[in-house]
């Protein structure tokens, strides 16, 4: 894929600021409508106690796409129509689900279609592991993408949680693009998504005035997953694993724990480690603050694994990142003494 130029630090700064302003402005405009038509009422899975409008993801994703498309048009690089279609499809599914819940199977089918569209943006000869048949590799990526999209949705259960996770990840991806470790398009998508979430953050800080909703969390998972896939295809697999490692660990270990205990793992619940942390006495701000700091550490390790290229550095980064995540998960699952 030919690229016009590597984004400068000024390009990325403008993308972040523009997306932030557009996102915040759209939320102000949309909030009365969301209050009326998309109210999230507390249930057994909820961490909030008052009915709260959801659907601010419309603003976040809208700002991300708008600023990205404008930047691409100015720079002369076309935004893939299949990627746009995938994001819009999964956002619409999320919006409908926010207003009137969709059964699990149709929801998964639409998600698979959206992820399949993303895979169509990949060159047919692009390979991660050449010794593995391409059909098997793409099938594994499809399943991994399906899990990643859903785990981002599962982890969006606390005020500012998605901001605390995705802002460090997308900021790191933007920096890696500036360092020429990531292609231009995912770099700009990461920067605009980072900015859009920063614009959303004042409205979502405890106690949240508005939630992302599935219309936000699902396409965020799709876009971040695509950016991480682009990073992995640049032969930076360790970094692509490190950046979302907390989300991967919390969601996957929670799923395995529920399966092992015989729980209906498909049913709504609030037993993720970050949810256990609030039950164990940590304030919401403490939980998201620790998640944010952890993700900053993981981002630093991911960048180091690319800039200081050696098997020793890669191994240390992976071990250190895993240990940091394990430490936080243990703290979250331990009763806090006051």
């Amino acid at each position: 894929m030919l690229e016009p130029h590597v984004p400068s630090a000024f390009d990325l700064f403008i993308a972040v600021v523009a997306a932030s302003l557009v996102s915040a402005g759209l939320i102000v405009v949309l909030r009365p409508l969301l209050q009326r038509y998309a109210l999230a009422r507390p249930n057994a899975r909820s961490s909030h106690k008052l009915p709260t409008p959801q659907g601010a993801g419309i603003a976040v994703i809208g700002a991300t796409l708008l600023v990205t498309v404008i930047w691409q048009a100015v720079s002369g690089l076309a935004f893939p129509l299949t990627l746009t279609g995938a994001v819009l499809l999964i956002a619409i599914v999320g919006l409908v689900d926010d207003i009137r819940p969709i059964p699990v199977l149709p929801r998964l089918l639409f998600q698979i279609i959206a992820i399949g569209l993303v895979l169509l943006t990949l060159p047919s000869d692009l390979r991660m592991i050449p010794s593995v048949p391409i059909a098997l590799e793409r099938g594994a990526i499809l399943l991994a993408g399906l899990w990643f999209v859903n785990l981002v949705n599962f982890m969006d259960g606390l005020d500012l949680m998605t901001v605390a996770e995705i802002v460090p990840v997308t900021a790191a991806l933007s920096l890696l693009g500036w360092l020429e470790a990531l292609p231009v398009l995912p770099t700009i998508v990461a920067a605009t998504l980072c900015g859009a979430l920063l614009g959303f953050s004042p409205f979502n800080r405890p106690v949240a005035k508005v939630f992302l909703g599935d219309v936000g969390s699902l396409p965020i998972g799709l876009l971040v997953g695509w950016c991480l896939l682009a990073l992995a295809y640049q032969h930076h697999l360790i970094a692509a694993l490190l950046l979302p490692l907390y989300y991967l660990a919390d969601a996957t270990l929670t799923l395995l724990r529920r399966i092992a205990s015989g729980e209906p793992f498909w049913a709504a619940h609030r037993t993720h480690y970050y949810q256990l942390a609030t039950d164990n006495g940590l304030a919401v701000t403490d939980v998201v603050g620790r998640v944010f700091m952890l993700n900053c550490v993981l981002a630093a390790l991911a960048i180091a694994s690319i800039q200081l290229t050696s098997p020793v550095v890669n191994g240390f980064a992976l071990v250190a990142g895993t240990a940091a995540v394990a430490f936080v998960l243990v703290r979250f699952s331990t009763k806090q003494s006051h």
Side-chain angles (χ1 to χ4, degrees), residues 5-280:
H5 69 277
V6 176
S8 67
F10 181 73
D11 290 333
L12 296 175
F13 175 76
I14 292 298
V16 169
V17 171
S20 177
L21 293 174
V22 172
S23 176
L26 286 174
I27 290 172
V28 170
V29 171
L30 289 171
R31 191 165 168 245
L33 289 174
L34 301 177
Q35 181 79 37
R36 182 173 180 180
Y37 295 109
L39 207 59
R41 301 188 181 279
N43 56 39
R45 179 177 175 265
S46 305
S47 296
H48 64 287
K49 294 179 170 56
L50 296 173
T52 305
Q54 61 184 346
I58 298 171
V60 171
I61 298 305
T64 300
L65 291 178
L66 178 63
V67 177
T68 299
V69 168
I70 291 173
W71 193 94
Q72 293 299 113
V74 170
S75 66
L77 186 62
F79 194 79
L81 290 177
T82 48
L83 180 61
T84 306
V87 172
L88 292 177
L89 172 62
I90 206 167
I92 291 169
V93 171
L95 178 61
V96 173
D97 201 39
D98 285 335
I99 298 170
R100 187 185 297 268
I102 302 173
V104 173
L105 289 180
R107 189 165 68 237
L108 287 175
L109 177 61
F110 283 118
Q111 291 173 4
I112 288 171
I113 293 171
I115 296 164
L117 288 173
V118 170
L119 293 183
L120 289 178
T121 66
L122 302 177
S124 58
D125 60 344
L126 188 62
R127 305 297 306 279
M128 194 177 301
I129 308 175
S131 60
V132 174
I134 189 167
L136 182 60
E137 180 176 294
R138 295 291 167 89
I141 292 172
L142 180 66
L143 291 176
L146 184 63
W147 175 231
F148 191 80
V149 164
N150 280 282
L151 73 84
V152 171
N153 183 32
F154 298 156
M155 296 293 288
D156 183 39
L158 206 62
D159 297 346
L160 280 183
M161 176 57 74
T162 299
V163 173
E165 172 68 21
I166 302 299
V167 165
V169 171
T170 50
L173 288 167
S174 302
L175 178 57
L176 288 171
W178 179 65
L179 294 170
E180 301 186 46
L182 189 66
V184 168
L185 183 54
T187 300
I188 294 301
V189 168
T192 55
L193 181 55
C194 180
L197 282 169
L198 289 173
F200 162 72
S201 61
F203 304 92
N204 192 236
R205 62 185 179 85
V207 175
K209 298 178 180 65
V210 67
F211 297 148
L212 276 174
D214 289 2
V215 66
S217 60
L218 293 175
I220 286 172
L222 188 71
L223 285 171
V224 173
W226 174 72
C227 291
L228 292 170
L229 181 63
L231 185 64
Y233 271 120
Q234 296 297 310
H235 309 294
H236 302 312
L237 182 58
I238 297 296
L241 288 172
L242 279 167
L243 286 172
L245 189 58
Y246 168 70
Y247 258 27
L248 290 171
D250 193 324
T252 304
L253 290 174
T254 298
L255 176 66
L256 294 176
R257 192 178 70 241
R258 298 187 74 218
I259 292 173
S261 62
E263 298 178 41
F265 60 87
W266 58 88
H269 67 98
R270 48 169 287 103
T271 58
H272 285 285
Y273 286 89
Y274 73 90
Q275 293 168 322
L276 295 178
T278 58
D279 294 341
N280 285 331

Side-chain angles (χ1 to χ4, degrees), residues 302-315:
I303 293 169
S305 75
I306 293 174
Q307 294 300 105
L308 306 174
T309 52
S310 80
V312 173
V313 172
N314 282 345

Side-chain angles (χ1 to χ4, degrees), residues 165 241-247 249-250 253 273 287 289-302 315-333:
E165 172 68 21
L241 288 172
L242 279 167
L243 286 172
L245 189 58
Y246 168 70
Y247 258 27
D250 193 324
L253 290 174
Y273 286 89
V287 175
R290 294 183 189 195
V291 169
F292 180 80
M293 292 303 299
L294 171 62
N295 281 297
C296 289
V297 170
L298 293 174
L301 291 170
F316 172 80
L318 190 57
V319 170
T322 302
V325 171
F327 176 79
V328 170
L329 293 180
V330 169
R331 293 287 293 172
F332 281 178
S333 59

